[in-house]
Amino acid sequence: MARATLIGFSAVAMWALLALLTDASGEVPPFLLSAICFTIGTCVGLVARMFSSAPTQPVRIPPQVWLIGIAGLFGYHFFYFTALRNAPAVEASLIAYLWPLFIVLGSALMPGERLRWFHIAGAALGLAGTFLIITNGGGLSFESRYAFGYAMAAVCAFLWSAYSLLSRRFPAVPTSIVTWFCAATAILSLVCHLALEETVLPSNAGQWLAVLGLGLMPVGAAFYAWDHGVKHGNIQVLGAASYAAPLLSTLILIAAGFTQATPHILLACLLITAGAVLAAKSLLFGASAAQKREAEA
């Protein structure tokens, strides 16, 4: 479980590159960027299939798995982009980033899982740290005229948490299925682009390299790593640790010179780190004697 959890967390680390690479990709509209990146992500899966051993017996894929996977990958991005079009980015992003908390709370409904106080406390600390980062240490101003955008951001958070939790119910379904989720998302994103956007392609080699990086990592390999993690790892720890993504993203932007280190970022770092360690208490330090006796009983 620890190894699978670490693999899942590698997705969080890759998602931390999303802001930097997206900024470097130029003025490519979001649905077109999504279509290109998920096409590259599909190629990541196809290449991985060439180097992985085929299953000894055919694996039956339940129809609901296709619905969960495509709704998760495409639905998340569709509603996120819609939220950003209809509400201020700060408020929409914070609402959308409720998904780690939803995962931690929703895990209590999963077979074989038990939600404990330190999982909830860890997720709450992570949410507080994310609030500091997204708001830049300031406040929020929710206005009724942006209600539709806020609702779309909430749907976005719900969809990704539901995708992550429901994927855990199908551990026998191989991670290679994500290849076809990426392919479907690329096609649907292209349809949305043709219907809603003007075509603007990257204008130079640097922007194309940024798009390639997006497709290989945060919009590619990260989804395969996350699928393995939520199916076989500690999902409560993954949920709470996911709040590290905006922190790592901010630290990368600081290192690249796009923003400056401030006291609220240091405080956010402490909150998110403390939350992740607290949520992973049983995984890092082992179960207490009382917990072991309770489990044996």
Side-chain angles (χ1 to χ4, degrees), residues 125-141:
L125 287 173
L127 180 60
T130 301
F131 176 89
L132 286 176
I133 291 173
I134 292 177
T135 62
N136 200 29
L140 292 174
S141 178

Side-chain angles (χ1 to χ4, degrees), residues 61-173:
I61 308 298
Q64 58 266 39
V65 169
W66 294 102
L67 177 62
I68 292 167
I70 297 172
L73 267 66
F74 174 73
Y76 173 86
H77 291 84
F78 176 84
F79 285 104
Y80 183 68
F81 294 151
T82 304
L84 292 182
R85 287 174 180 267
N86 293 276
V90 170
E91 288 82 358
S93 296
L94 187 61
I95 295 171
Y97 229 88
L98 288 172
W99 65 261
L101 183 60
F102 289 167
I103 287 177
V104 173
L105 297 177
S107 66
L109 304 175
M110 304 301 292
E113 301 291 349
R114 184 180 178 188
L115 185 63
R116 302 185 64 86
W117 69 268
F118 48 83
H119 296 133
I120 299 174
L125 287 173
L127 180 60
T130 301
F131 176 89
L132 286 176
I133 291 173
I134 292 177
T135 62
N136 200 29
L140 292 174
S141 178
F142 291 101
E143 300 181 39
S144 59
R145 59 180 171 148
Y146 299 126
F148 178 74
Y150 299 151
M152 295 299 96
V155 172
C156 160
F158 172 78
L159 275 176
W160 188 253
S161 58
Y163 163 73
S164 301
L165 290 167
L166 292 174
S167 293
R168 191 173 181 84
R169 290 184 173 271
F170 301 94
V173 174

Side-chain angles (χ1 to χ4, degrees), residues 104-290:
V104 173
L105 297 177
S107 66
L109 304 175
M110 304 301 292
E113 301 291 349
R114 184 180 178 188
L115 185 63
R116 302 185 64 86
W117 69 268
F118 48 83
H119 296 133
I120 299 174
L125 287 173
L127 180 60
T130 301
F131 176 89
L132 286 176
I133 291 173
I134 292 177
T135 62
N136 200 29
L140 292 174
S141 178
F142 291 101
E143 300 181 39
S144 59
R145 59 180 171 148
Y146 299 126
F148 178 74
Y150 299 151
M152 295 299 96
V155 172
C156 160
F158 172 78
L159 275 176
W160 188 253
S161 58
Y163 163 73
S164 301
L165 290 167
L166 292 174
S167 293
R168 191 173 181 84
R169 290 184 173 271
F170 301 94
V173 174
T175 291
S176 58
I177 192 69
V178 175
T179 305
W180 310 121
F181 298 162
C182 287
T185 301
I187 294 170
L188 291 171
S189 295
L190 180 60
V191 171
C192 288
H193 163 67
L194 295 175
L196 302 171
E197 298 173 335
E198 294 291 333
T199 299
V200 179
L201 294 172
S203 60
N204 56 52
Q207 292 181 3
W208 277 112
L209 285 175
V211 172
L212 178 62
L214 282 168
L216 290 176
M217 290 184 288
V219 193
F223 293 114
Y224 299 90
W226 183 252
D227 182 83
H228 183 81
V230 297
K231 285 178 178 175
H232 307 290
N234 188 314
I235 197 163
Q236 290 104 340
V237 173
L238 278 176
S242 294
Y243 280 116
L247 172 63
L248 293 173
S249 178
T250 301
L251 295 177
I252 290 171
L253 291 172
I254 290 172
F258 284 86
T259 188
Q260 294 181 340
T262 59
H264 74 267
I265 290 179
L266 175 60
L267 179 57
C269 180
L270 294 174
L271 286 171
I272 292 174
T273 302
V277 171
L278 184 59
K281 184 173 80 72
S282 59
L283 189 66
L284 293 175
F285 307 113
S288 66

